[in-house]
């Protein structure tokens, strides 16, 4: 086994950086959601919201996008459906299948969340400077694309 290169001492390891930023990002979104009239949205729901879209999606595709098991994804969708955020409709391409859509309340939440993400990105950009923030985002985007399609 090849020896690894030590992590630079002037920064945290990449995993710690990503986890801490994701924690801050999610905490900000949940706090904003609660303050905007969505106090029933939980941390686990964010995996669904970040992947459901508005055009309808099959459960299997949603689970794949959200990187969840089919059972876990189904449980979260059921929960969000009970809360009035999502609904299942027949898939016009396959009457046996169902598509998952946000309800009017779900779309409002997605719109509010989109504005909050834009605000958060602006705040973070101001904190480190727009050029540095854009470069960090671009680098992470490139890395994600490369890892998806090596």
């Amino acid at each position: 086994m090849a020896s690894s290169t030590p992590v630079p001492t002037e920064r945290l390891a990449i995993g710690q950086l990503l986890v801490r930023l994701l924690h801050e990002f999610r905490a900000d979104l949940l706090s904003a959601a609660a303050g905007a009239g969505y106090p029933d949205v939980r941390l686990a729901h964010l995996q669904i919201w970040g992947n459901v879209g508005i055009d309808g999606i099959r459960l299997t595709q949603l689970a794949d996008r959200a990187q969840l098991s089919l059972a876990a994804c189904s449980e979260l969708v059921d929960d969000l459906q009970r809360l009035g955020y999502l609904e299942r409709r027949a898939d016009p391409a396959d009457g046996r299948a169902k598509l998952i859509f946000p309800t009017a309340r779900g779309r409002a939440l997605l719109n509010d969340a989109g504005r909050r993400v834009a605000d958060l990105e602006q705040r973070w950009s101001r904190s480190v400077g727009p050029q540095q923030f854009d470069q960090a985002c671009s680098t992470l985007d490139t890395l994600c694309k490369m890892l998806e399609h090596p």
Side-chain angles (χ1 to χ4, degrees):
M1 185 169 162
S3 63
S4 63
T5 305
V7 173
T9 57
E10 66 274 5
R11 68 165 172 83
L12 295 172
I14 187 69
Q16 292 173 314
L17 292 169
L18 294 171
V19 166
R20 288 181 184 197
L21 287 172
L22 183 59
H23 174 77
E24 290 298 322
F25 177 82
R26 288 176 168 173
D28 188 281
L29 282 181
L30 287 175
S31 174
Y38 312 102
D40 46 3
V41 173
R42 298 182 295 117
L43 180 63
H45 294 150
L46 296 182
Q47 282 298 102
I48 300 302
W49 288 122
N51 294 287
V52 72
I54 60 169
D55 297 324
I57 188 170
R58 288 186 180 183
L59 183 66
T60 52
Q61 186 182 12
L62 180 57
D64 186 52
R65 278 189 192 173
Q67 298 179 329
L68 295 169
S69 70
L70 198 55
C73 188
S74 180
E75 185 176 321
L76 289 169
V77 168
D78 288 346
D79 191 33
L80 288 166
Q81 189 171 1
R82 275 191 302 278
L83 293 169
Y85 292 105
L86 296 178
E87 64 184 346
R88 288 180 168 96
R89 298 184 208 156
D91 183 344
D94 179 353
R96 300 167 299 166
K98 298 281 187 194
L99 293 175
I100 300 160
F101 289 89
T103 61
R105 180 166 170 76
R107 287 180 78 121
L109 176 110
L110 285 170
N111 289 334
D112 288 346
R115 285 189 292 275
R116 188 59 179 204
V117 169
D119 177 63
L120 190 140
E121 286 199 13
Q122 288 175 354
R123 285 185 285 130
W124 286 7
S125 179
R126 283 192 304 270
S127 294
V128 298
Q131 186 175 8
Q132 192 171 352
F133 183 79
D134 288 346
Q135 182 60 51
C137 291
S138 178
T139 299
L140 290 171
D141 186 58
T142 299
L143 184 58
C144 283
K145 288 175 182 171
M146 184 204 68
L147 293 171
E148 287 174 6
H149 308 288

